[in-house]
Amino acid sequence: MEQTFFIIKPDGVKRGLVGEILTRIERRTFTIDHLEVRMASEELLRKHYEDLVDRPFFPQIVDYMTSGPVVIGVISGNDVIQTWRTMMGATNPKDAVLGSIRGDFAQAPADGGATFNVVHGSDSKESAEREIALWIGK
Ligand code: UDP
Ligand code: MG
């Protein structure tokens, strides 16, 4: 069964959206295989976002992602990687369609700021395996 890795980011946790987001996952008939609350370290985030580390806005991403606890997890189901990306919506909430998590719960970033977009999801099978190993180690 295909698995993907997800994060409810600090804005989602602070705003009390954990239940809403887990409900959407369960309603979609995906199985929650792993669920955990934790603080992300800069060291871990540098590995997680290895393709963004050299971008000028990376320090803002670190500030954002370490601003409070995150909920991390693994979910499984048919085509869960692509389906979860669709459920999340586009990276910039201004482009995210209504009905998606980002389209329902977030707004476009302020100029020069990080994009507070509530959730993360792996973008491919390779990313999912890499991220599960990195965060959970299995
Ligand atoms: N991000 C940002 N500004 C940008 C691009 C990305 O703050 O210009 C943040 C945003 O929170 C995004 C994360 O970095 O979700 C990872 O970026 P990616 O392009 O991988 O988007 P995602 O896969 O999360 O949709
Ligand atoms: Mg990404």
Side-chain angles (χ1 to χ4, degrees):
M1 187 70 81
E2 187 170 284
Q3 286 188 315
T4 199
F5 176 73
F6 75 94
I7 304 174
I8 305 175
K9 297 182 180 185
D11 53 334
V13 175
K14 268 182 226 158
R15 291 171 55 199
L17 296 174
V18 172
E20 163 79 32
I21 292 164
L22 295 180
T23 295
R24 287 179 181 224
I25 289 170
E26 291 186 311
R27 257 191 348 214
R28 200 65 195 252
T29 70
F30 291 132
T31 303
I32 299 171
D33 298 325
H34 185 98
L35 194 63
E36 197 181 329
V37 183
R38 72 155 83 148
M39 289 293 299
S41 68
E42 175 166 356
E43 189 189 356
L44 183 62
L45 291 166
R46 294 184 77 85
K47 291 178 188 155
H48 176 76
Y49 285 132
E50 61 183 5
D51 48 338
L52 298 176
V53 165
D54 296 326
R55 301 289 193 87
F57 53 82
F58 190 72
Q60 278 109 297
I61 294 181
V62 171
D63 286 348
Y64 166 37
M65 293 297 292
T66 59
S67 65
V70 294
V71 171
I72 64 162
V74 176
I75 52 179
S76 61
N78 298 327
D79 277 319
V80 68
I81 295 171
Q82 196 196 315
T83 309
W84 174 242
R85 292 288 298 188
T86 303
M87 289 168 69
M88 286 169 37
T91 304
N92 188 328
K94 82 172 155 54
D95 303 319
V97 296
L98 288 179
S100 68
I101 293 166
R102 289 161 168 178
D104 286 350
F105 298 114
Q107 61 174 288
D111 287 341
T115 306
F116 299 158
N117 54 10
V118 187
V119 281
H120 165 81
S122 309
D123 61 12
S124 66
K125 219 166 200 129
E126 295 68 39
S127 300
E129 282 171 15
R130 190 181 75 82
E131 291 168 9
I132 291 167
L134 178 65
W135 286 80
I136 300 163
K138 65 178 185 196

